[in-house]
Amino acid sequence: MSGGETVLVTGGSGYIGGWCVASLLSQGYVVRATVRDLAKEAAVRASLSKITDPGNRLSFYAANLTSDDGWDAAVDGCDYVLHVASPLGVADPKDPNDLIVPAREGAKRAVGAAIKAGVKRVVLTSSVAATGKGRDFAGDWTSDETVWTDPTEPQVSAYAQSKTLAERAAWELIHSASTKTTLATVNPALVLGPVTSGDFSDSVQVVERLLSGRVPGIPRLGFNVVDVRDVADLHIRAMTDAHAAGERFIAAGQFAWMADIASLLRERLGPAAAKVPTRKVPNFVIRLAGLFDKDLGSVTPSLGLKHDYSSDKAQRILGWKPRPMEETILDCANSLIANGVV
């Protein structure tokens, strides 16, 4: 248990951030959460109340990735910082800097404020997008934490660039500072699992689009699936375990093709999965459609390829264990239905 220690979670209104807040509260921590606008506080509290009772151990601070305002006040007096906040985007923006600049500068602001306040450790939420093998590894591959995405390669998305450059910036700041503050990163794969409202991460669209029938067929796309509750658990393990200092940890479970996810939904949800497509779409059709649909265009480089990510390090060093993929996907789907999203 926490012994009443105080943790700042940036991006407390987000999908991963919200589950980190809930998990910390359930373990007895005093939690501060940053939001861009304090008007969000009531909605975040209502969402969290479905998971845990915050009592009087939760407070909110306004802080923005692109401004210096509010960061020092939010971090002052904290024992730990979980820097979860980062811009999201499935489709590549016209200007990659729309994602890169807030991600990188936000990481520098959060880590810089943590160093100034003398917190014990910062855990930064990165992504497996920062651990991708490049053009020298054509076809299928398995990656781990020793690999860094090369953001200069032409097929690297703006999102992958943003996560890579933000994580690099955080490590550089820690290594260049004379500080006792340590850093660890958590690099999640495709984050699914239960949602507590209609406001959820872009990653959940994989299940939402299948259930709602918004995809006419199933592309040959695959992902390592990881449960949002397990991602939160790994953040807290990386925050408290002495062996996590200075380390990266991939949060990834089983690899699944979209066809596997669709089959599971149809088999287990019955009539609720009536709109889930059964027809498979050839790769060339997706590539053609990707010329007109930015969301599709951003994933076409991965069509038909098994790009697998290993979480052996997190399991070996921190004792972390991802739950079965089936539980994650079905809990995600049932929560989308319960919240009236589909």
Side-chain angles (χ1 to χ4, degrees):
M1 293 296 287
S2 71
E5 291 179 306
T6 300
V7 185
L8 175 70
V9 179
T10 72
S13 61
Y15 187 42
I16 296 175
W19 277 99
C20 285
V21 170
S23 298
L24 288 162
L25 288 168
S26 69
Q27 293 184 35
Y29 288 93
V30 176
V31 181
R32 300 177 185 178
T34 69
V35 288
R36 286 193 301 270
D37 185 345
L38 289 176
K40 289 186 174 182
E41 178 176 344
V44 177
R45 285 187 180 274
S47 182
L48 286 169
S49 69
K50 299 177 182 179
I51 311 169
T52 189
D53 178 9
N56 61 356
R57 291 180 292 112
L58 175 63
S59 55
F60 289 82
Y61 289 74
N64 194 304
L65 296 173
T66 56
S67 170
D68 292 335
D69 297 343
W71 286 100
D72 287 346
V75 178
D76 185 46
C78 288
D79 297 285
Y80 304 100
V81 172
L82 303 186
H83 179 51
V84 187
S86 186
L88 278 176
V90 175
D92 273 7
K94 288 183 179 178
D95 183 356
N97 283 319
D98 290 348
L99 288 179
I100 293 169
V101 171
R104 183 183 60 213
E105 299 308 307
K108 288 162 70 174
R109 286 185 170 94
V111 175
I115 292 171
K116 184 178 178 181
V119 308
K120 298 173 186 177
R121 181 169 300 161
V122 180
V123 179
L124 178 140
T125 311
S126 186
S127 169
V128 293
T131 65
K133 294 185 176 181
R135 56 190 165 200
D136 293 336
F137 295 87
D140 298 347
W141 44 250
T142 300
S143 189
D144 62 22
E145 295 88 351
T146 63
V147 177
W148 280 90
T149 297
D150 180 355
T152 66
E153 289 198 352
Q155 283 197 318
V156 173
S157 68
Y159 175 72
Q161 291 177 54
S162 75
K163 300 304 285 189
T164 305
L165 294 170
E167 188 185 344
R168 286 283 198 195
W171 285 116
E172 288 166 7
L173 196 53
I174 284 287
H175 291 150
S176 64
S178 177
T179 178
K180 292 183 179 178
T181 300
T182 57
L183 176 67
T185 68
V186 172
N187 300 62
L190 182 76
V191 182
L192 299 175
V195 302
T196 54
S197 71
D199 183 13
F200 50 80
S201 168
D202 287 350
S203 59
V204 175
Q205 287 187 23
V206 170
V207 174
E208 184 267 330
R209 287 187 174 206
L210 287 172
L211 282 175
S212 63
R214 286 206 294 140
V215 286
I218 303 170
R220 181 71 170 164
L221 284 171
F223 323 88
N224 289 88
V225 172
V226 64
D227 195 290
V228 67
R229 295 164 292 190
D230 296 335
V231 174
D233 174 54
L234 184 53
H235 276 76
I236 299 172
R237 289 172 185 264
M239 181 182 86
T240 56
D241 195 306
H243 298 99
E247 300 290 347
R248 311 171 82 199
F249 296 99
I250 285 177
Q254 182 181 339
F255 182 93
W257 296 103
M258 278 191 73
D260 301 327
I261 297 173
S263 294
L264 177 68
L265 294 172
R266 287 195 304 270
E267 289 167 9
R268 301 291 293 276
L269 295 183
K275 294 180 181 178
V276 174
T278 57
R279 184 169 61 92
K280 295 179 180 178
V281 182
N283 291 348
F284 80 89
V285 175
I286 299 295
R287 290 194 177 96
L288 183 62
L291 298 174
F292 308 97
D293 183 328
K294 282 189 173 183
D295 286 354
L296 282 176
S298 66
V299 299
T300 52
S302 301
L303 278 171
L305 299 175
K306 184 176 182 180
H307 290 168
D308 200 5
Y309 297 90
S310 171
S311 62
D312 287 351
K313 181 178 176 182
Q315 297 185 52
R316 184 180 72 254
I317 295 178
L318 301 182
W320 180 75
K321 186 171 177 60
R323 70 193 66 204
M325 180 190 70
E326 291 80 6
E327 178 184 344
T328 297
I329 291 169
L330 292 172
D331 284 357
C332 182
N334 284 316
S335 69
L336 287 169
I337 295 166
N339 282 280
V341 178
V342 293

Short mmCIF file of all heavy atoms in Angstrom, two decimals, residues 121-127 130-131 145 148 166-168 170-171 182-188 234-235 238 244-251 313-314 318:
data_model
loop_
_atom_site.label_atom_id
_atom_site.label_comp_id
_atom_site.label_asym_id
_atom_site.label_seq_id
_atom_site.Cartn_x
_atom_site.Cartn_y
_atom_site.Cartn_z
N ARG A 121 10.22 9.43 -8.71
CA ARG A 121 10.27 8.81 -10.04
C ARG A 121 9.15 9.36 -10.91
O ARG A 121 8.05 9.63 -10.45
CB ARG A 121 10.14 7.29 -9.95
CG ARG A 121 10.22 6.58 -11.33
CD ARG A 121 10.34 5.08 -11.17
NE ARG A 121 11.56 4.77 -10.43
CZ ARG A 121 11.78 3.61 -9.81
NH1 ARG A 121 10.86 2.66 -9.84
NH2 ARG A 121 12.91 3.40 -9.16
N VAL A 122 9.48 9.48 -12.19
CA VAL A 122 8.50 9.78 -13.23
C VAL A 122 8.32 8.50 -14.06
O VAL A 122 9.30 7.86 -14.44
CB VAL A 122 8.97 10.91 -14.16
CG1 VAL A 122 7.91 11.18 -15.24
CG2 VAL A 122 9.26 12.18 -13.38
N VAL A 123 7.06 8.14 -14.32
CA VAL A 123 6.77 7.08 -15.28
C VAL A 123 6.07 7.75 -16.47
O VAL A 123 5.01 8.36 -16.30
CB VAL A 123 5.87 5.98 -14.69
CG1 VAL A 123 5.59 4.91 -15.75
CG2 VAL A 123 6.54 5.36 -13.47
N LEU A 124 6.69 7.66 -17.63
CA LEU A 124 6.15 8.29 -18.83
C LEU A 124 5.46 7.24 -19.69
O LEU A 124 6.02 6.17 -19.93
CB LEU A 124 7.26 8.98 -19.61
CG LEU A 124 6.88 9.66 -20.94
CD1 LEU A 124 7.61 10.99 -21.08
CD2 LEU A 124 7.21 8.77 -22.13
N THR A 125 4.25 7.56 -20.15
CA THR A 125 3.54 6.67 -21.06
C THR A 125 4.04 6.91 -22.47
O THR A 125 3.78 7.96 -23.06
CB THR A 125 2.03 6.91 -21.01
OG1 THR A 125 1.60 6.94 -19.65
CG2 THR A 125 1.29 5.82 -21.77
N SER A 126 4.76 5.95 -23.01
CA SER A 126 5.22 6.03 -24.39
C SER A 126 4.32 5.11 -25.22
O SER A 126 3.10 5.12 -25.04
CB SER A 126 6.70 5.64 -24.49
OG SER A 126 7.20 5.83 -25.78
N SER A 127 4.87 4.32 -26.10
CA SER A 127 4.07 3.44 -26.95
C SER A 127 4.98 2.43 -27.63
O SER A 127 6.18 2.70 -27.81
CB SER A 127 3.35 4.27 -28.02
OG SER A 127 2.77 3.43 -29.01
N ALA A 130 7.11 3.52 -30.49
CA ALA A 130 8.49 4.00 -30.32
C ALA A 130 9.50 2.86 -30.29
O ALA A 130 10.69 3.08 -30.07
CB ALA A 130 8.62 4.82 -29.03
N THR A 131 9.02 1.62 -30.53
CA THR A 131 9.92 0.46 -30.50
C THR A 131 9.81 -0.36 -31.78
O THR A 131 10.00 -1.57 -31.77
CB THR A 131 9.60 -0.45 -29.28
OG1 THR A 131 8.29 -1.01 -29.44
CG2 THR A 131 9.66 0.33 -27.97
N GLU A 145 12.22 -3.80 -25.99
CA GLU A 145 12.57 -2.46 -25.51
C GLU A 145 13.95 -1.99 -25.97
O GLU A 145 14.26 -0.80 -25.84
CB GLU A 145 12.53 -2.43 -23.97
CG GLU A 145 11.16 -2.64 -23.37
CD GLU A 145 10.80 -4.10 -23.14
OE1 GLU A 145 11.55 -4.99 -23.61
OE2 GLU A 145 9.77 -4.36 -22.50
N TRP A 148 14.55 1.12 -30.96
CA TRP A 148 13.99 2.47 -31.05
C TRP A 148 13.53 2.72 -32.49
O TRP A 148 14.27 2.46 -33.44
CB TRP A 148 15.03 3.52 -30.67
CG TRP A 148 15.21 3.70 -29.20
CD1 TRP A 148 16.09 3.05 -28.39
CD2 TRP A 148 14.49 4.60 -28.36
NE1 TRP A 148 15.96 3.48 -27.08
CE2 TRP A 148 14.98 4.44 -27.04
CE3 TRP A 148 13.47 5.52 -28.59
CZ2 TRP A 148 14.50 5.18 -25.95
CZ3 TRP A 148 12.98 6.26 -27.51
CH2 TRP A 148 13.49 6.08 -26.21
N ALA A 166 9.12 12.28 -28.05
CA ALA A 166 8.77 12.66 -26.68
C ALA A 166 9.52 11.81 -25.67
O ALA A 166 10.05 12.31 -24.66
CB ALA A 166 7.26 12.54 -26.47
N GLU A 167 9.57 10.50 -25.93
CA GLU A 167 10.30 9.63 -25.00
C GLU A 167 11.78 9.93 -25.01
O GLU A 167 12.43 9.99 -23.95
CB GLU A 167 10.05 8.15 -25.34
CG GLU A 167 10.64 7.23 -24.28
CD GLU A 167 10.55 5.75 -24.60
OE1 GLU A 167 9.78 5.36 -25.51
OE2 GLU A 167 11.27 4.97 -23.93
N ARG A 168 12.35 10.15 -26.19
CA ARG A 168 13.77 10.53 -26.29
C ARG A 168 14.05 11.80 -25.48
O ARG A 168 15.05 11.89 -24.77
CB ARG A 168 14.14 10.76 -27.75
CG ARG A 168 14.29 9.49 -28.58
CD ARG A 168 15.60 8.80 -28.31
NE ARG A 168 15.96 7.85 -29.36
CZ ARG A 168 16.89 6.92 -29.21
NH1 ARG A 168 17.55 6.78 -28.07
NH2 ARG A 168 17.18 6.09 -30.21
N ALA A 170 12.45 12.98 -22.92
CA ALA A 170 12.39 12.71 -21.47
C ALA A 170 13.67 12.06 -20.98
O ALA A 170 14.22 12.46 -19.93
CB ALA A 170 11.18 11.81 -21.18
N TRP A 171 14.16 11.07 -21.71
CA TRP A 171 15.41 10.41 -21.31
C TRP A 171 16.58 11.39 -21.34
O TRP A 171 17.43 11.40 -20.42
CB TRP A 171 15.71 9.22 -22.22
CG TRP A 171 14.86 8.01 -21.96
CD1 TRP A 171 13.96 7.44 -22.80
CD2 TRP A 171 14.80 7.24 -20.75
NE1 TRP A 171 13.36 6.36 -22.21
CE2 TRP A 171 13.86 6.21 -20.95
CE3 TRP A 171 15.46 7.32 -19.52
CZ2 TRP A 171 13.57 5.27 -19.96
CZ3 TRP A 171 15.17 6.38 -18.53
CH2 TRP A 171 14.23 5.36 -18.76
N THR A 182 14.25 9.60 -10.84
CA THR A 182 14.50 8.56 -11.85
C THR A 182 13.33 8.50 -12.82
O THR A 182 12.23 9.02 -12.54
CB THR A 182 14.70 7.19 -11.20
OG1 THR A 182 13.55 6.86 -10.39
CG2 THR A 182 15.95 7.18 -10.33
N LEU A 183 13.57 7.86 -13.96
CA LEU A 183 12.56 7.75 -15.01
C LEU A 183 12.39 6.31 -15.43
O LEU A 183 13.36 5.54 -15.50
CB LEU A 183 12.99 8.59 -16.24
CG LEU A 183 12.10 8.52 -17.49
CD1 LEU A 183 10.73 9.15 -17.24
CD2 LEU A 183 12.79 9.22 -18.67
N ALA A 184 11.16 5.94 -15.70
CA ALA A 184 10.84 4.66 -16.36
C ALA A 184 9.78 4.96 -17.39
O ALA A 184 9.02 5.94 -17.26
CB ALA A 184 10.33 3.64 -15.35
N THR A 185 9.71 4.16 -18.44
CA THR A 185 8.64 4.35 -19.42
C THR A 185 7.84 3.07 -19.58
O THR A 185 8.36 1.96 -19.42
CB THR A 185 9.19 4.78 -20.80
OG1 THR A 185 9.94 3.72 -21.39
CG2 THR A 185 10.05 6.03 -20.68
N VAL A 186 6.57 3.25 -19.87
CA VAL A 186 5.67 2.14 -20.22
C VAL A 186 5.25 2.35 -21.66
O VAL A 186 4.78 3.43 -22.04
CB VAL A 186 4.44 2.11 -19.29
CG1 VAL A 186 3.43 1.07 -19.78
CG2 VAL A 186 4.87 1.81 -17.86
N ASN A 187 5.45 1.32 -22.48
CA ASN A 187 5.18 1.40 -23.92
C ASN A 187 4.05 0.44 -24.29
O ASN A 187 4.30 -0.71 -24.64
CB ASN A 187 6.45 1.06 -24.71
CG ASN A 187 7.61 1.99 -24.41
OD1 ASN A 187 8.09 2.08 -23.28
ND2 ASN A 187 8.08 2.69 -25.43
N PRO A 188 2.79 0.92 -24.22
CA PRO A 188 1.67 0.01 -24.48
C PRO A 188 1.47 -0.28 -25.96
O PRO A 188 1.78 0.54 -26.84
CB PRO A 188 0.46 0.78 -23.93
CG PRO A 188 1.02 1.93 -23.14
CD PRO A 188 2.34 2.23 -23.76
N LEU A 234 0.86 -1.79 -14.67
CA LEU A 234 2.29 -1.72 -15.02
C LEU A 234 2.87 -0.35 -14.69
O LEU A 234 4.02 -0.25 -14.25
CB LEU A 234 2.50 -2.07 -16.49
CG LEU A 234 3.96 -2.13 -16.96
CD1 LEU A 234 4.80 -3.06 -16.08
CD2 LEU A 234 4.04 -2.58 -18.42
N HIS A 235 2.09 0.70 -14.87
CA HIS A 235 2.56 2.04 -14.49
C HIS A 235 2.92 2.09 -13.00
O HIS A 235 3.95 2.65 -12.60
CB HIS A 235 1.49 3.10 -14.78
CG HIS A 235 1.49 3.60 -16.19
ND1 HIS A 235 0.98 2.88 -17.24
CD2 HIS A 235 1.94 4.77 -16.72
CE1 HIS A 235 1.10 3.59 -18.35
NE2 HIS A 235 1.69 4.73 -18.07
N ALA A 238 6.03 0.07 -12.29
CA ALA A 238 7.21 0.80 -12.74
C ALA A 238 7.51 2.01 -11.85
O ALA A 238 8.65 2.44 -11.75
CB ALA A 238 7.00 1.27 -14.19
N ALA A 244 12.95 -0.81 -11.67
CA ALA A 244 12.38 -0.18 -12.86
C ALA A 244 13.09 1.11 -13.25
O ALA A 244 12.94 1.59 -14.37
CB ALA A 244 10.90 0.11 -12.64
N ALA A 245 13.88 1.67 -12.34
CA ALA A 245 14.54 2.95 -12.61
C ALA A 245 15.43 2.85 -13.84
O ALA A 245 16.23 1.92 -13.97
CB ALA A 245 15.36 3.39 -11.41
N GLY A 246 15.24 3.79 -14.77
CA GLY A 246 16.07 3.82 -15.97
C GLY A 246 15.70 2.81 -17.03
O GLY A 246 16.49 2.58 -17.95
N GLU A 247 14.51 2.23 -16.93
CA GLU A 247 14.13 1.14 -17.84
C GLU A 247 12.87 1.47 -18.65
O GLU A 247 12.00 2.22 -18.20
CB GLU A 247 13.88 -0.16 -17.05
CG GLU A 247 15.06 -0.65 -16.25
CD GLU A 247 16.20 -1.20 -17.11
OE1 GLU A 247 15.98 -1.43 -18.31
OE2 GLU A 247 17.30 -1.38 -16.56
N ARG A 248 12.79 0.86 -19.83
CA ARG A 248 11.59 0.88 -20.65
C ARG A 248 10.86 -0.46 -20.48
O ARG A 248 11.51 -1.50 -20.37
CB ARG A 248 11.92 1.05 -22.15
CG ARG A 248 12.85 2.15 -22.49
CD ARG A 248 13.28 2.08 -23.96
NE ARG A 248 12.30 2.68 -24.87
CZ ARG A 248 12.23 2.45 -26.18
NH1 ARG A 248 13.06 1.56 -26.75
NH2 ARG A 248 11.34 3.07 -26.94
N PHE A 249 9.52 -0.42 -20.51
CA PHE A 249 8.74 -1.65 -20.37
C PHE A 249 7.60 -1.67 -21.38
O PHE A 249 6.73 -0.80 -21.35
CB PHE A 249 8.15 -1.78 -18.96
CG PHE A 249 9.20 -1.92 -17.88
CD1 PHE A 249 9.58 -0.81 -17.14
CD2 PHE A 249 9.80 -3.14 -17.63
CE1 PHE A 249 10.55 -0.92 -16.15
CE2 PHE A 249 10.77 -3.26 -16.64
CZ PHE A 249 11.14 -2.15 -15.89
N ILE A 250 7.62 -2.66 -22.26
CA ILE A 250 6.52 -2.84 -23.20
C ILE A 250 5.34 -3.49 -22.48
O ILE A 250 5.50 -4.48 -21.76
CB ILE A 250 6.96 -3.69 -24.40
CG1 ILE A 250 7.85 -2.85 -25.35
CG2 ILE A 250 5.76 -4.26 -25.15
CD1 ILE A 250 8.40 -3.63 -26.52
N ALA A 251 4.15 -2.89 -22.67
CA ALA A 251 2.91 -3.46 -22.14
C ALA A 251 2.15 -4.05 -23.31
O ALA A 251 1.52 -3.32 -24.09
CB ALA A 251 2.08 -2.38 -21.45
N LYS A 313 10.13 -8.61 -20.64
CA LYS A 313 10.90 -7.84 -19.66
C LYS A 313 10.02 -7.40 -18.48
O LYS A 313 10.41 -7.56 -17.32
CB LYS A 313 11.53 -6.62 -20.33
CG LYS A 313 12.37 -5.75 -19.41
CD LYS A 313 12.99 -4.59 -20.19
CE LYS A 313 13.77 -3.65 -19.30
NZ LYS A 313 14.33 -2.51 -20.08
N ALA A 314 8.85 -6.88 -18.78
CA ALA A 314 7.94 -6.45 -17.71
C ALA A 314 7.51 -7.62 -16.85
O ALA A 314 7.39 -7.51 -15.62
CB ALA A 314 6.72 -5.75 -18.30
N LEU A 318 9.25 -7.11 -13.29
CA LEU A 318 8.25 -6.48 -12.42
C LEU A 318 7.13 -7.42 -12.00
O LEU A 318 6.24 -7.03 -11.25
CB LEU A 318 7.65 -5.26 -13.12
CG LEU A 318 8.65 -4.15 -13.51
CD1 LEU A 318 7.92 -2.98 -14.14
CD2 LEU A 318 9.46 -3.69 -12.31
#
